[in-house]
PDB file of all heavy atoms in Angstrom:
ATOM      1  N   VAL I1259      96.779 104.205 101.716  1.00 98.00           N
ATOM      2  CA  VAL I1259      98.199 104.039 102.039  1.00 98.00           C
ATOM      3  C   VAL I1259      98.329 103.024 103.168  1.00 98.00           C
ATOM      4  O   VAL I1259      98.044 103.346 104.326  1.00 98.00           O
ATOM      5  CB  VAL I1259      98.840 105.382 102.460  1.00 98.00           C
ATOM      6  CG1 VAL I1259     100.302 105.189 102.833  1.00 98.00           C
ATOM      7  CG2 VAL I1259      98.709 106.420 101.352  1.00 98.00           C
ATOM      8  N   GLY I1266     100.035 101.137 113.898  1.00 52.00           N
ATOM      9  CA  GLY I1266      98.657 101.515 114.201  1.00 52.00           C
ATOM     10  C   GLY I1266      98.014 102.230 113.040  1.00 52.00           C
ATOM     11  O   GLY I1266      98.659 102.983 112.313  1.00 52.00           O
ATOM     12  N   PRO I1270      91.667 108.628 109.036  1.00 54.00           N
ATOM     13  CA  PRO I1270      91.966 109.574 107.976  1.00 54.00           C
ATOM     14  C   PRO I1270      91.329 110.923 108.239  1.00 54.00           C
ATOM     15  O   PRO I1270      90.169 111.007 108.659  1.00 54.00           O
ATOM     16  CB  PRO I1270      91.369 108.916 106.732  1.00 54.00           C
ATOM     17  CG  PRO I1270      90.303 108.012 107.252  1.00 54.00           C
ATOM     18  CD  PRO I1270      90.784 107.550 108.585  1.00 54.00           C
ATOM     19  N   PRO I1275      94.479 110.451 103.312  1.00 97.00           N
ATOM     20  CA  PRO I1275      94.572 109.035 102.944  1.00 97.00           C
ATOM     21  C   PRO I1275      93.836 108.114 103.916  1.00 97.00           C
ATOM     22  O   PRO I1275      93.739 108.387 105.107  1.00 97.00           O
ATOM     23  CB  PRO I1275      96.083 108.763 102.985  1.00 97.00           C
ATOM     24  CG  PRO I1275      96.736 110.099 102.929  1.00 97.00           C
ATOM     25  CD  PRO I1275      95.795 111.046 103.598  1.00 97.00           C
ATOM     26  N   VAL I1276      93.350 106.999 103.365  1.00 97.00           N
ATOM     27  CA  VAL I1276      92.864 105.876 104.161  1.00 97.00           C
ATOM     28  C   VAL I1276      94.079 105.022 104.493  1.00 97.00           C
ATOM     29  O   VAL I1276      94.891 104.730 103.612  1.00 97.00           O
ATOM     30  CB  VAL I1276      91.819 105.064 103.371  1.00 97.00           C
ATOM     31  CG1 VAL I1276      91.335 103.874 104.185  1.00 97.00           C
ATOM     32  CG2 VAL I1276      90.668 105.960 102.936  1.00 97.00           C
ATOM     33  N   ASP I1281     100.762  93.838 106.304  1.00 97.00           N
ATOM     34  CA  ASP I1281     102.092  93.376 105.926  1.00 97.00           C
ATOM     35  C   ASP I1281     102.010  92.981 104.458  1.00 97.00           C
ATOM     36  O   ASP I1281     101.373  91.976 104.110  1.00 97.00           O
ATOM     37  CB  ASP I1281     102.500  92.181 106.797  1.00 97.00           C
ATOM     38  CG  ASP I1281     103.892  91.650 106.462  1.00 97.00           C
ATOM     39  OD1 ASP I1281     104.421  91.969 105.376  1.00 97.00           O
ATOM     40  OD2 ASP I1281     104.436  90.896 107.288  1.00 97.00           O
ATOM     41  N   VAL I1284     102.460  89.440 102.915  1.00 98.00           N
ATOM     42  CA  VAL I1284     101.513  88.378 103.273  1.00 98.00           C
ATOM     43  C   VAL I1284     100.313  88.462 102.335  1.00 98.00           C
ATOM     44  O   VAL I1284      99.598  89.468 102.329  1.00 98.00           O
ATOM     45  CB  VAL I1284     101.053  88.519 104.737  1.00 98.00           C
ATOM     46  CG1 VAL I1284     100.010  87.471 105.074  1.00 98.00           C
ATOM     47  CG2 VAL I1284     102.254  88.424 105.677  1.00 98.00           C
ATOM     48  N   ASN I1308     103.498 101.253  93.282  1.00 98.00           N
ATOM     49  CA  ASN I1308     104.320 100.344  94.092  1.00 98.00           C
ATOM     50  C   ASN I1308     105.633 101.020  94.468  1.00 98.00           C
ATOM     51  O   ASN I1308     106.598 101.011  93.711  1.00 98.00           O
ATOM     52  CB  ASN I1308     104.604  99.066  93.291  1.00 98.00           C
ATOM     53  CG  ASN I1308     103.380  98.213  93.078  1.00 98.00           C
ATOM     54  OD1 ASN I1308     102.748  97.778  94.023  1.00 98.00           O
ATOM     55  ND2 ASN I1308     103.032  97.976  91.818  1.00 98.00           N
ATOM     56  N   GLY I1316     126.671  95.125 100.089  1.00 89.00           N
ATOM     57  CA  GLY I1316     127.383  94.007 100.696  1.00 89.00           C
ATOM     58  C   GLY I1316     128.714  93.788 100.028  1.00 89.00           C
ATOM     59  O   GLY I1316     129.399  94.727  99.620  1.00 89.00           O
ATOM     60  N   GLU I1321     130.965  86.786  97.523  1.00 97.00           N
ATOM     61  CA  GLU I1321     130.958  86.994  98.969  1.00 97.00           C
ATOM     62  C   GLU I1321     129.541  87.180  99.525  1.00 97.00           C
ATOM     63  O   GLU I1321     129.366  87.321 100.735  1.00 97.00           O
ATOM     64  CB  GLU I1321     131.771  88.251  99.306  1.00 97.00           C
ATOM     65  CG  GLU I1321     133.220  88.189  98.848  1.00 97.00           C
ATOM     66  CD  GLU I1321     133.922  89.525  98.901  1.00 97.00           C
ATOM     67  OE1 GLU I1321     133.242  90.575  98.754  1.00 97.00           O
ATOM     68  OE2 GLU I1321     135.148  89.533  99.089  1.00 97.00           O
ATOM     69  N   ASP I1328     117.686  86.502  98.560  1.00 98.00           N
ATOM     70  CA  ASP I1328     116.305  86.205  98.936  1.00 98.00           C
ATOM     71  C   ASP I1328     115.682  87.382  99.680  1.00 98.00           C
ATOM     72  O   ASP I1328     114.509  87.725  99.456  1.00 98.00           O
ATOM     73  CB  ASP I1328     116.247  84.953  99.809  1.00 98.00           C
ATOM     74  CG  ASP I1328     116.602  83.684  99.050  1.00 98.00           C
ATOM     75  OD1 ASP I1328     116.542  83.698  97.806  1.00 98.00           O
ATOM     76  OD2 ASP I1328     116.944  82.679  99.720  1.00 98.00           O
ATOM     77  N   LEU I1335     110.669  92.817  95.230  1.00 98.00           N
ATOM     78  CA  LEU I1335     109.791  92.216  94.226  1.00 98.00           C
ATOM     79  C   LEU I1335     108.492  91.681  94.819  1.00 98.00           C
ATOM     80  O   LEU I1335     107.417  91.903  94.257  1.00 98.00           O
ATOM     81  CB  LEU I1335     110.523  91.095  93.495  1.00 98.00           C
ATOM     82  CG  LEU I1335     109.693  90.342  92.443  1.00 98.00           C
ATOM     83  CD1 LEU I1335     109.243  91.285  91.325  1.00 98.00           C
ATOM     84  CD2 LEU I1335     110.473  89.166  91.881  1.00 98.00           C
ATOM     85  N   PRO I1347      92.541  92.456  88.728  1.00 98.00           N
ATOM     86  CA  PRO I1347      91.129  92.204  88.402  1.00 98.00           C
ATOM     87  C   PRO I1347      90.236  93.412  88.650  1.00 98.00           C
ATOM     88  O   PRO I1347      89.276  93.648  87.913  1.00 98.00           O
ATOM     89  CB  PRO I1347      90.762  91.031  89.322  1.00 98.00           C
ATOM     90  CG  PRO I1347      92.053  90.351  89.612  1.00 98.00           C
ATOM     91  CD  PRO I1347      93.057  91.446  89.682  1.00 98.00           C
ATOM     92  N   ARG I1363     117.950 102.961  89.081  1.00 98.00           N
ATOM     93  CA  ARG I1363     118.950 103.036  88.021  1.00 98.00           C
ATOM     94  C   ARG I1363     119.891 101.833  88.080  1.00 98.00           C
ATOM     95  O   ARG I1363     120.399 101.378  87.042  1.00 98.00           O
ATOM     96  CB  ARG I1363     119.755 104.336  88.124  1.00 98.00           C
ATOM     97  CG  ARG I1363     120.778 104.477  87.006  1.00 98.00           C
ATOM     98  CD  ARG I1363     121.326 105.881  86.889  1.00 98.00           C
ATOM     99  NE  ARG I1363     122.124 106.263  88.040  1.00 98.00           N
ATOM    100  CZ  ARG I1363     122.797 107.417  88.115  1.00 98.00           C
ATOM    101  NH1 ARG I1363     122.737 108.291  87.117  1.00 98.00           N
ATOM    102  NH2 ARG I1363     123.487 107.720  89.190  1.00 98.00           N
ATOM    103  N   ALA I1367     122.073  99.953  85.351  1.00 97.00           N
ATOM    104  CA  ALA I1367     123.468 100.379  85.467  1.00 97.00           C
ATOM    105  C   ALA I1367     123.972  99.988  86.852  1.00 97.00           C
ATOM    106  O   ALA I1367     124.098 100.838  87.750  1.00 97.00           O
ATOM    107  CB  ALA I1367     123.599 101.888  85.249  1.00 97.00           C
ATOM    108  N   ALA I1373     124.939  93.625  94.106  1.00 98.00           N
ATOM    109  CA  ALA I1373     124.371  92.761  93.074  1.00 98.00           C
ATOM    110  C   ALA I1373     122.981  92.261  93.446  1.00 98.00           C
ATOM    111  O   ALA I1373     122.099  92.166  92.593  1.00 98.00           O
ATOM    112  CB  ALA I1373     125.303  91.579  92.803  1.00 98.00           C
ATOM    113  N   ALA I1374     122.774  91.918  94.723  1.00 98.00           N
ATOM    114  CA  ALA I1374     121.456  91.420  95.130  1.00 98.00           C
ATOM    115  C   ALA I1374     120.403  92.513  94.979  1.00 98.00           C
ATOM    116  O   ALA I1374     119.290  92.270  94.502  1.00 98.00           O
ATOM    117  CB  ALA I1374     121.504  90.910  96.563  1.00 98.00           C
ATOM    118  N   ASP I1409     116.868 112.069  97.519  1.00 95.00           N
ATOM    119  CA  ASP I1409     117.313 112.957  98.595  1.00 95.00           C
ATOM    120  C   ASP I1409     116.343 112.866  99.776  1.00 95.00           C
ATOM    121  O   ASP I1409     115.390 113.625  99.883  1.00 95.00           O
ATOM    122  CB  ASP I1409     117.396 114.395  98.079  1.00 95.00           C
ATOM    123  CG  ASP I1409     118.085 115.321  99.076  1.00 95.00           C
ATOM    124  OD1 ASP I1409     118.498 114.841 100.147  1.00 95.00           O
ATOM    125  OD2 ASP I1409     118.214 116.528  98.769  1.00 95.00           O
ATOM    126  N   PRO I1418     126.779 111.145 104.361  1.00 94.00           N
ATOM    127  CA  PRO I1418     126.864 112.570 104.722  1.00 94.00           C
ATOM    128  C   PRO I1418     127.843 113.364 103.864  1.00 94.00           C
ATOM    129  O   PRO I1418     127.709 114.588 103.765  1.00 94.00           O
ATOM    130  CB  PRO I1418     127.322 112.525 106.189  1.00 94.00           C
ATOM    131  CG  PRO I1418     128.000 111.195 106.340  1.00 94.00           C
ATOM    132  CD  PRO I1418     127.253 110.271 105.441  1.00 94.00           C
ATOM    133  N   ALA I1432     107.478 112.794  92.425  1.00 98.00           N
ATOM    134  CA  ALA I1432     106.043 112.598  92.652  1.00 98.00           C
ATOM    135  C   ALA I1432     105.175 113.016  91.461  1.00 98.00           C
ATOM    136  O   ALA I1432     104.260 112.267  91.080  1.00 98.00           O
ATOM    137  CB  ALA I1432     105.612 113.338  93.922  1.00 98.00           C
ATOM    138  N   VAL I1434     105.892 112.978  88.343  1.00 98.00           N
ATOM    139  CA  VAL I1434     106.096 112.008  87.268  1.00 98.00           C
ATOM    140  C   VAL I1434     105.233 110.776  87.519  1.00 98.00           C
ATOM    141  O   VAL I1434     104.562 110.260  86.610  1.00 98.00           O
ATOM    142  CB  VAL I1434     107.588 111.625  87.156  1.00 98.00           C
ATOM    143  CG1 VAL I1434     107.794 110.580  86.059  1.00 98.00           C
ATOM    144  CG2 VAL I1434     108.450 112.848  86.898  1.00 98.00           C
ATOM    145  N   ARG I1436     102.521 110.611  89.426  1.00 98.00           N
ATOM    146  CA  ARG I1436     101.111 110.981  89.293  1.00 98.00           C
ATOM    147  C   ARG I1436     100.707 111.055  87.816  1.00 98.00           C
ATOM    148  O   ARG I1436      99.612 110.614  87.449  1.00 98.00           O
ATOM    149  CB  ARG I1436     100.845 112.312  89.982  1.00 98.00           C
ATOM    150  CG  ARG I1436      99.363 112.716  89.994  1.00 98.00           C
ATOM    151  CD  ARG I1436      99.152 114.014  90.711  1.00 98.00           C
ATOM    152  NE  ARG I1436      99.855 115.107  90.047  1.00 98.00           N
ATOM    153  CZ  ARG I1436      99.957 116.340  90.552  1.00 98.00           C
ATOM    154  NH1 ARG I1436      99.417 116.628  91.725  1.00 98.00           N
ATOM    155  NH2 ARG I1436     100.610 117.274  89.895  1.00 98.00           N
TER     156      ARG I1436
END
Side-chain angles (χ1 to χ4, degrees):
V1259 178
V1276 179
D1281 180 343
V1284 176
N1308 291 301
E1321 301 167 331
D1328 291 341
L1335 178 62
R1363 182 166 67 175
D1409 190 1
V1434 178
R1436 185 179 62 188

